[in-house]
Amino acid sequence: MSKALERRAKLREALIEAAERAIATKGLGGLKTRELAQEIGVANGGVYNLVEDVDELILRVGSRTLARLDASLSLAEIGAAAAPREMLVRIAVAYCDFAADNLELWRALFEHRMQPGKPVPEWAISEQMELFRHIYKPLAVLFPQRSPTQLGVTARSLFSAVHGMVALGLEQKLIAVPLGALRSEIATLTRAMVDGLTAKKE
Amino acid sequence: MSKALERRAKLREALIEAAERAIATKGLGGLKTRELAQEIGVANGGVYNLVEDVDELILRVGSRTLARLDASLSLAEIGAAAAPREMLVRIAVAYCDFAADNLELWRALFEHRMQPGKPVPEWAISEQMELFRHIYKPLAVLFPQRSPTQLGVTARSLFSAVHGMVALGLEQKLIAVPLGALRSEIATLTRAMVDGLTAKKE
């Protein structure tokens, strides 16, 4: 790598890390490219030599968040009982814990919308999809007769349901839910969903 | 009511309706009090003679959205089989349909955050809580041994799970879900949750 390219790569990493810190402390609304430029020591416009636009910057931060979420879920799986039902419970609770510990970065994953008419790039979609394997694998053991497409739909439904509990639980908009109670409710409902779906065996 | 008070009440209603139209078409981010003032024919600052601040204006629009949601859920209950399980399924699917038909107004209910340090007023909280009766009542039939507090927790969990499916399904961020498929998935998972919780009978 040439000196210039090396310098650019380093600056780009510094930019993404600065954006990550800004989102983590102030949320997506607190991201100001002008401040980031100052922080890493480039001219205001210089940010756009490092990333295409703010969308790409936010997606790169999201990529780091997803990688850490992936690691947290993988960690939760280690030492889990072999039973896929309890595996799914551990994954759901680990998801809740990750969201609670990384509130603003996790929120940014869902709050960010691309500029109108601009699609989410393929690399970002495939990183998101990759995470579904944590849910997909235990489901495949529970429902060996289901097709990959059907398993994909069920994985998405389970994820969405748990995500909803985490999102509204942490938002504390209606009723404040202490984290311990939220974790226990998530475990209860995940077991219920698995039991209900298994009993049906459609 | 004096002429002046009458005029104020009419203007206030016009303001809330104009805000509702703005949110419905452009989302919460498209709400500009300057434009609303122009639309109802008052000076820019005049808006603040009609509502305390933008938070109150958004909450008043939310109040109308909640009232229409309440009516939709009540309608779904009419003609439902007596079985509480199917009642919960109909309510979940009706919630999904309402969200799809009122996308931006429904999003605004969850995206709006009060100015820092300002609590949500009591009247708005109690309007939200009121809606939980749709879920609470069938649950009370299914779980007669549970206390009102426990039933409240379960109602909130079920709502959050269904809300998550609706939110991510309509967001179409990861995978586009056609509305028909989403409704059917919501019905499947609601039945599974009820079956799983009933089988447990803790």
Side-chain angles (χ1 to χ4, degrees), chain B residues 96-134:
Chain B
C96 175
D97 287 344
F98 182 86
D101 291 342
N102 300 271
L103 197 54
E104 292 296 348
L105 287 168
W106 167 76
R107 272 187 185 148
L109 291 176
F110 295 90
E111 283 179 3
H112 171 238
R113 295 193 202 164
M114 301 291 289
Q115 281 157 47
K118 237 183 108 189
V120 179
E122 277 306 318
W123 66 264
I125 293 176
S126 68
E127 276 182 2
Q128 294 166 4
M129 298 310 299
E130 181 63 21
L131 276 170
F132 273 93
R133 77 180 187 284
H134 294 282

Side-chain angles (χ1 to χ4, degrees), chain A residues 95 106 110 158-169, chain B residues 160-161 164 167-168:
Chain A
Y95 180 73
W106 167 76
F110 294 91
L158 281 187
F159 168 71
S160 302
V162 170
H163 174 79
M165 294 184 72
V166 172
L168 296 190
Chain B
S160 302
L168 296 190

Side-chain angles (χ1 to χ4, degrees), chain B residues 23-62:
Chain B
I23 296 175
T25 49
K26 292 174 286 182
L28 211 49
L31 193 71
K32 313 273 179 241
T33 50
R34 189 176 288 266
E35 288 172 14
L36 300 179
Q38 204 165 33
E39 199 177 327
I40 64 166
V42 301
N44 284 340
V47 163
Y48 301 103
N49 297 326
L50 303 171
V51 288
E52 200 187 313
D53 51 22
V54 177
D55 279 336
E56 196 206 337
L57 182 56
I58 294 171
L59 288 172
R60 294 292 170 193
V61 172

Side-chain angles (χ1 to χ4, degrees), chain A residues 140-167:
Chain A
V141 179
L142 281 167
F143 304 103
Q145 75 285 21
R146 290 197 186 178
S147 71
T149 307
Q150 288 175 315
L151 288 171
V153 170
T154 308
R156 191 195 150 98
S157 295
L158 281 187
F159 168 71
S160 302
V162 170
H163 174 79
M165 294 184 72
V166 172

Side-chain angles (χ1 to χ4, degrees), chain A residues 72-98:
Chain A
S72 287
L73 299 183
S74 300
L75 202 65
E77 286 162 5
I78 298 170
R85 177 181 183 259
E86 284 314 298
M87 186 72 103
L88 286 166
V89 170
R90 290 182 74 136
I91 292 163
V93 172
Y95 180 73
C96 174
D97 288 344
F98 182 87

